[in-house]
Amino acid sequence: MVRCVVTGATGYVGGRLAPRLLDAGHTVRCVTRDAGRLRDVPWATRAEIVTADLAEPEGLAEVLADTDVAYYLVHSMGGPDFEAADRRAARNFAAAARAAGVRRIVYLGGPDPGDADASPHLRSRAEVGDILLAGGVPTVVLRAAVILGSGSASFEMLRYLTERLPAMVTPRWVRNRIQPIAIRDVLRYLVAWADVPDEVNRAFDIGGPEVLTYADMMRRYAAVTGLRPRLIVPVRVLSPKLSALWVGAVTPVPGRIARPLVASLVHEAVCAEHDIARYVPDPPGGLIGFDDAVRLGLAKIRDADVETRWATAAWTGAPAEPLPTDPNWSGGTAYVDERTRPVHAPDAALWRVVEGIGGETGWYSFPLAWSVRGWMDRLSGGVGLRRGRRDPHRLHVGEALDFWRVEEIVPGHLLRLRAEMRVPGRAWLEMYVEPGPDGSVYRQRAVFLPRGLAGHLYWKAVSPFHAVVFGGMARNIAHAAERAAG
């Protein structure tokens, strides 16, 4: 049994690694800035969850105490001075690991940037690896390019570009060579390094068995999924910035996430060595090829068995403030739209409708208005509606749900969503299920805390539409529950 610490457990890779380490018989301590976001994951009761911020060195050594292997799976995807933030977090972590006597650090980074013209994102990932390697604790840096798996940002980008565009004018980087790797192989490497006894202190390139261009990947994806062959015409005029806007318009991946992804594709990302096989041998059937990785990812999506998604990770900033409980809002102004409807259906039927809201199901009210609001958000650099939901039936705290995030869920009673669309203030939507004389009662509350004059003007501009949007939503949710109950 190995004692493991996993940082980034609310992210795409960390959220899959923690349960696999537990299944392998290891103990797992997850480090997160917001422990509530791991409250409802299926494996939460099997792990120890502690709250800490890698940007603050105080207490990190205690968090890492009695640890054999520490997994460093955090990084910024942009924001002001993100390189300095990543540098500071890595230095704090390395120092704390050394003080705590950690046996090994394992870091999942990006491909070797190679030259000075590399993107800031790739340079920062490489710098973090160098800091950890020089930190005094034996460190393994795994350098991966495109990771293919259900719910990964890279996979979603490839999937939507290929499925939605039978013919496309593309930037030149679609001709660059890439060595993608399946998420299953990434996780196999990560788990294996908990048991490798050698005191290795170096970086390893990791990739799948095939080297492809991005255009090859789109064509192969189309072939695997039975789509007609895609017409791809590379041109010279689409810069990485314009490419990110193009990706943001066509796929669920917003521009601020697409930018570092595109920037990592501008340079070729092919493994220079496969030395990792000396320590973690390839499986008997070999590493997973591109076509099989696509099939596995799509099967997970089809079966609603997506463990983690890129949208669930907290990409920027500190954890958002929850809905204030002070009834006077600390002297500020709160706008509230509240609606209540009796429902001639049992509590359980109403709750199934509430918990299944969003994604492909929609929001039970004026679809055009929701669609327009989603497009407005994307045009302003927000996430829009396309993030959808991970599971069509179940939600847990911290999950992304279209342009909301689940802030609280009390099964059978309350679903509270925090807005992540771009608005001049903070907004929440609460949905309650309560007992009623003829079945149940649905109660809905929208709360908006304006920021400055723009916030007040925003609420006044949209409030005339609330009767249609929020009123229709409450009415249609009630009707859906009654229909479901028969």
Side-chain angles (χ1 to χ4, degrees), residues 381-431:
V383 296
L385 284 173
R386 288 191 187 154
R387 293 193 301 185
R389 51 182 293 156
R390 180 189 59 86
D391 184 291
H393 307 295
R394 298 288 180 265
L395 295 171
H396 62 68
V397 169
E399 279 197 306
L401 177 60
D402 290 329
F403 48 38
W404 305 90
R405 191 170 296 275
V406 180
E407 183 174 278
E408 181 58 272
I409 185 167
V410 179
H413 175 59
L414 165 66
L415 174 62
R416 179 185 299 134
L417 307 176
R418 184 182 72 242
E420 292 192 338
M421 76 281 282
R422 289 180 177 269
V423 291
R426 293 185 287 146
W428 292 263
L429 178 63
E430 292 181 318
M431 289 166 274

Side-chain angles (χ1 to χ4, degrees), residues 2-59:
V2 177
R3 297 165 297 182
C4 302
V5 162
V6 177
T7 64
T10 58
Y12 177 73
V13 176
R16 299 187 180 209
L17 174 63
R20 283 162 176 77
L21 290 170
L22 290 165
D23 291 344
H26 306 312
T27 65
V28 175
R29 179 183 299 153
C30 294
V31 182
T32 174
R33 291 181 298 174
D34 183 1
R37 294 184 59 203
L38 292 175
R39 187 192 72 187
D40 298 331
V41 297
W43 45 268
T45 57
R46 300 163 57 199
E48 179 187 1
I49 300 172
V50 299
T51 302
D53 189 341
L54 301 189
E56 304 297 332
E58 294 78 13

Side-chain angles (χ1 to χ4, degrees), residues 10 17 72 74 91 229 257 414 465 478:
T10 58
L17 174 63
Y72 193 86
V74 297
R91 287 173 176 165
I257 305 302
L414 165 66
F465 303 100

Side-chain angles (χ1 to χ4, degrees), residues 219-272:
R219 293 189 181 102
R220 291 270 291 273
Y221 181 97
V224 168
T225 55
L227 298 171
R228 295 173 60 185
R230 272 25 199 167
L231 177 62
I232 302 170
V233 182
V235 297
R236 303 178 65 87
V237 295
L238 289 178
S239 66
K241 185 174 182 179
L242 289 174
S243 297
L245 293 174
W246 168 61
V247 169
V250 176
T251 80
V253 182
R256 62 188 175 89
I257 305 302
R259 278 191 292 274
L261 291 177
V262 168
S264 67
L265 297 171
V266 170
H267 301 272
E268 294 199 334
V270 178
C271 296

Side-chain angles (χ1 to χ4, degrees), residues 110-361:
D112 185 354
D115 57 59
D117 294 330
S119 71
H121 171 67
L122 284 183
R123 289 201 308 267
S124 179
R125 299 288 293 274
E127 182 184 21
V128 167
D130 291 341
I131 290 170
L132 297 175
L133 286 167
V137 174
T139 296
V140 170
V141 175
L142 304 181
R143 299 188 297 214
V146 171
I147 296 178
L148 299 173
S150 59
S152 79
S154 295
F155 187 73
E156 292 290 279
M157 185 170 122
L158 173 68
R159 175 186 168 204
Y160 280 87
L161 285 176
T162 309
E163 291 182 354
R164 293 185 173 180
L165 299 175
M168 62 194 93
V169 175
T170 59
R172 287 179 297 171
W173 51 256
V174 299
R175 292 175 172 169
N176 290 344
R177 296 183 307 152
I178 307 162
Q179 197 163 346
I181 183 170
I183 181 61
R184 294 193 183 196
D185 282 330
V186 173
L187 293 168
R188 186 178 61 83
Y189 283 134
L190 290 170
V191 172
W193 278 104
D195 290 315
V196 177
D198 304 73
E199 288 199 355
V200 182
N201 191 67
R202 60 160 290 184
F204 296 92
D205 291 341
I206 60 172
E210 299 168 274
V211 176
L212 305 165
T213 67
Y214 205 86
D216 291 335
M217 291 167 60
M218 288 190 283
R219 293 189 181 102
R220 291 270 291 273
Y221 181 97
V224 168
T225 55
L227 298 171
R228 295 173 60 185
R230 272 25 199 167
L231 177 62
I232 302 170
V233 182
V235 297
R236 303 178 65 87
V237 295
L238 289 178
S239 66
K241 185 174 182 179
L242 289 174
S243 297
L245 293 174
W246 168 61
V247 169
V250 176
T251 80
V253 182
R256 62 188 175 89
I257 305 302
R259 278 191 292 274
L261 291 177
V262 168
S264 67
L265 297 171
V266 170
H267 301 272
E268 294 199 334
V270 178
C271 296
E273 40 80 15
H274 190 53
D275 295 350
I276 194 169
R278 290 161 38 197
Y279 304 93
V280 184
D282 293 348
L287 299 171
I288 298 170
F290 177 84
D291 292 357
D292 286 337
V294 169
R295 292 189 186 98
L296 289 167
L298 291 176
K300 289 286 188 180
I301 294 169
R302 182 186 63 246
D303 297 338
D305 188 26
V306 180
E307 297 175 66
T308 58
R309 294 181 66 226
W310 63 270
T312 302
W315 293 98
T316 59
E321 298 178 50
L323 177 68
T325 55
D326 182 351
N328 295 317
W329 307 97
S330 301
T333 299
Y335 293 108
V336 178
D337 182 282
E338 192 162 8
R339 300 174 188 271
T340 302
R341 287 191 66 89
V343 182
H344 302 293
D347 298 13
L350 178 57
W351 177 252
R352 282 194 295 272
V353 174
V354 169
E355 193 175 11
I357 201 166
E360 295 296 323
T361 302

